[in-house]
Amino acid sequence: RVRLDPLRRGLIRAVAAAAQAGEGGRRSMVRPVLWLAVMAAAASTVAIVFSPVALEGTGASWVSDALRHGWAPFCHQDPDRSFRVAGVQLLACARCTGLFAGALLGVIAFPVVHAVRRGIAAPRWLLAVALAPMALDVAAGILGIWDGTLLSRALTGAAAGSLSAVFLMPHLDEAAADVARSIRGRLRGA
């Protein structure tokens, strides 16, 4: 048996009680907290993508350079394939910018979509449909059939990001509920 100090035990019981309340038909605290956390992460990512614009002219160009260097493993950052705002290149290419902005919109829209679908998770084929336009845009560029525009890259990325977020949120929600059930089970055994 693991001994916990009273503060930790109280916090764990509060989380478990909130999850249990959700299972009993009352509103769960796990879902809104999870949604807010994912939304904050998505909004932070979009803010980081636009940060070079805000940092321009502040004397903190080293921060922008460090972010660009740290972001390099995730995005090619090709200047010809990136949006510019006020003459400053964004941290991510147009497709990645679309993905991140779309994911943020998908997370914001999730409660409405989830309510309309009455809690039914989206079918897996919907994820394939969401990714297909972006995959075709990429494939056409690789094969030399058509070199997409900044707008086509951003829009296909936004579609993929938003629908992926709507698809993945119920799975994150279920994982959070599993963690809450596990905590509740441990508390019963303690």
Side-chain angles (χ1 to χ4, degrees):
R1 288 173 55 151
V2 177
R3 295 239 176 221
L4 300 174
D5 64 356
L7 178 61
R8 286 185 186 163
R9 193 174 331 122
L11 287 172
I12 291 171
R13 284 188 179 152
V15 169
Q20 188 173 14
E23 290 173 4
R26 295 184 300 250
R27 190 174 188 145
S28 169
M29 289 302 292
V30 173
R31 289 179 173 95
V33 169
L34 172 71
W35 177 72
L36 287 171
V38 173
M39 188 172 56
S44 297
T45 302
V46 171
I48 289 170
V49 167
F50 282 86
S51 66
V53 177
L55 293 170
E56 184 68 22
T58 64
S61 62
W62 64 272
V63 175
S64 182
D65 293 339
L67 286 171
R68 196 168 302 287
H69 180 72
W71 201 265
F74 306 106
C75 177
H76 59 74
Q77 303 172 347
D78 183 345
D80 293 335
R81 295 184 176 200
S82 300
F83 286 115
R84 293 181 176 276
V85 176
V88 179
Q89 180 184 337
L90 298 184
L91 198 60
C93 70
R95 184 170 289 120
C96 290
T97 299
L99 275 167
F100 299 133
L104 175 59
L105 292 174
V107 171
I108 291 170
F110 172 73
V112 174
V113 173
H114 194 62
V116 168
R117 293 188 52 80
R118 291 181 171 75
I120 300 169
R124 287 187 179 154
W125 62 264
L126 183 63
L127 185 59
V129 168
L131 297 175
M134 187 176 70
L136 289 172
D137 193 38
V138 170
I142 291 171
L143 297 173
I145 297 169
W146 181 64
D147 193 25
T149 65
L150 290 179
L151 185 60
S152 73
R153 291 182 183 110
L155 290 176
T156 58
S162 61
L163 291 173
S164 294
V166 168
F167 177 82
L168 293 173
M169 283 300 293
H171 299 286
L172 289 173
D173 189 50
E174 184 58 35
D178 288 345
V179 168
R181 282 190 288 273
S182 174
I183 290 171
R184 204 171 37 255
R186 288 182 185 203
L187 286 175
R188 288 184 185 141

